Amino acid sequence: MINQRREWRRRVLAAFAAFAPAVAAGAALAEETPRNYYGPHMWDGGWWFLGPLWMLIFIAATVAVVVLIVRWLGGPGARPSGGQSALDILRERYARGEIDKGEFDERRKVLGG
C-alpha cells in the first residue's frame, strides 16, 4: 500500500514536471506582451472568428490530457481483461469446477455458443 502511494506520488510529480516548462514559458510571454487598451480589438484584426475554435481545441486537449493522466495513474489493473469473450470465461469457470455440466450447457445455449 505504501509503495502504491509512493508510485502514485512519483507519477503525479512527473506529470507536473512535464508541464512546468510550458507554464513558465507562458508566464514569461504574458509579461512581455504590452498592454494597450486602445489598440486593435478582436474585430479589427480579422481573425476574431478563430477564438471559439481555439477555445474548443483547448478544452478538448485539456480533457484528453486529464483522461490520459487518469489512465496512466490507474496502472495495469484498471484496464479490461485481455479481450476475453463471455464463452471463454464460461469455459474457464467450468474447467476450474465452479459450475457443473448442466449449468455450463444452459449458459452456453444462452450465449449462443
Side-chain angles (χ1 to χ4, degrees), residues 86-87 90 106-113:
L87 193 56
L90 184 64
E106 179 182 331
R107 291 184 182 204
R108 189 181 65 198
K109 287 178 187 175
V110 170
L111 292 173

Side-chain angles (χ1 to χ4, degrees), residues 1-107:
M1 185 70 165
I2 293 173
N3 288 335
Q4 289 177 346
R5 286 184 181 170
R6 286 181 182 163
E7 181 66 21
W8 182 83
R9 287 181 186 152
R10 187 187 65 77
R11 288 182 176 184
V12 169
L13 287 174
F16 283 129
F19 291 108
V23 171
L29 182 62
E31 289 178 6
E32 293 176 5
T33 305
R35 297 190 178 185
N36 184 358
Y37 293 105
Y38 301 105
H41 298 285
M42 67 179 191
W43 53 84
D44 289 338
W47 293 96
W48 61 270
F49 60 91
L50 290 179
L53 177 66
W54 284 115
M55 181 184 64
L56 292 175
I57 290 172
F58 177 76
I59 290 172
T62 303
V63 169
V65 166
V66 168
V67 167
L68 289 174
I69 288 174
V70 168
R71 281 188 175 186
W72 182 51
L73 290 175
R79 292 181 179 83
S81 63
Q84 287 184 320
S85 69
L87 193 56
D88 292 337
I89 295 171
L90 184 64
R91 287 182 182 135
E92 286 180 11
R93 289 187 63 201
Y94 179 65
R96 286 192 299 253
E98 294 177 8
I99 57 175
D100 62 354
K101 175 76 172 154
E103 188 175 354
F104 173 76
D105 290 335
E106 179 182 331
R107 291 184 182 204

